[in-house]
Amino acid sequence: NRKKGSLIAIEGIDGSGKTTQAKLLAERFGYEYLYILQSPMGLIRQQVESLRDFNLRFYYYLACVINSQTVIKEKITAGINVVLDRYIYSTFAMHKALGVDTGCVKMHELPILWPDITILLTVDRQTRINRCRYRGEQKHDKHLEQSNELLETEQNIYMKYNDLVVIDTSREDIESIFA
């Protein structure tokens, strides 16, 4: 029952280059790009975010990852290589940074397909701020994810996971990161 396609997950804080690099990787190597907040789960994101209940938010994002499994497994089984823009580590790192007790869920026991490789893109504060300014204001930029202290805490939490390949994107141009 071996899978045919490969699965890469790109993780990191806002402004680290996740979306840009995931899309470039997909384009350059023929992978399919997939963002986890697929319908129908993505449709209720705004309502969940507006409640400002971080525990609820944690379970919502877990549900998004679990909900994506059907699509991911279908693609992998069909021999399609997939690159994910955020996955399970993003859910845990952000919510740990927010003070949620994520220990009530055993991450490695979740019913999900684990990536062949998970890449963590890191970035320094000033580079992140510059990138976010350059890309223009996004809807989610008005939310809590833009707190510098929170993002630095989140990035430090990511660094505690031993199974991630870490790439510092602070001094790299877009084209050279996966060159």
Side-chain angles (χ1 to χ4, degrees):
N1 235 6
R2 191 171 142 78
K3 63 183 179 181
K4 298 177 183 176
S6 60
L7 182 62
I8 296 175
I10 308 292
E11 303 274 19
I13 63 172
D14 284 358
S16 63
K18 290 177 310 302
T19 300
T20 301
Q21 293 306 314
K23 287 179 177 178
L24 282 172
L25 190 69
E27 182 182 309
R28 190 170 291 151
F29 296 105
Y31 278 61
E32 186 165 327
Y33 170 85
L34 188 62
Y35 184 65
I36 290 303
L37 291 177
Q38 301 292 315
S39 290
M41 298 304 290
L43 299 174
I44 61 170
R45 180 182 182 186
Q46 189 173 12
Q47 286 125 347
V48 171
E49 295 284 358
S50 72
L51 296 173
R52 296 286 201 219
D53 179 333
F54 298 142
N55 289 301
L56 173 64
R57 186 180 189 275
F58 173 61
Y59 288 107
Y60 164 74
Y61 280 94
L62 275 178
C64 290
V65 170
I66 293 167
N67 182 64
S68 69
Q69 295 308 295
T70 303
V71 172
I72 294 170
K73 287 176 183 175
E74 284 173 0
K75 292 180 184 307
I76 296 299
T77 302
I80 298 168
N81 296 318
V82 176
V83 61
L84 299 172
D85 182 350
R86 294 192 184 232
Y87 198 43
I88 194 64
Y89 289 102
S90 292
T91 300
F92 275 80
M94 171 53 83
H95 291 90
K96 279 183 183 180
L98 289 168
V100 173
D101 178 10
T102 62
C104 60
V105 176
K106 292 183 168 77
M107 179 170 43
H108 284 57
E109 293 181 17
L110 288 169
I112 64 172
L113 188 60
W114 285 91
D116 297 297
I117 186 169
T118 301
I119 299 168
L120 171 62
L121 301 181
T122 61
V123 65
D124 64 52
R125 180 186 282 203
Q126 193 56 53
T127 303
R128 185 190 72 73
I129 290 169
N130 292 343
R131 286 179 183 164
C132 289
R133 259 191 221 129
Y134 177 77
R135 75 179 181 200
E137 188 173 287
Q138 307 287 312
K139 278 185 183 180
H140 67 274
D141 287 345
K142 295 179 182 177
H143 295 290
L144 54 99
E145 287 92 350
Q146 296 309 303
S147 160
N148 287 319
E149 290 73 24
L150 181 68
L151 289 170
E152 288 168 12
T153 300
E154 179 186 3
Q155 187 162 268
N156 289 333
I157 291 167
Y158 273 119
M159 298 301 287
K160 293 177 183 176
Y161 296 120
N162 296 324
D163 46 351
L164 307 180
V165 175
V166 180
I167 300 173
D168 183 0
T169 66
S170 300
R171 305 287 177 251
E172 301 290 335
D173 65 86
I174 291 171
E175 291 298 323
S176 67
I177 292 172
F178 283 118

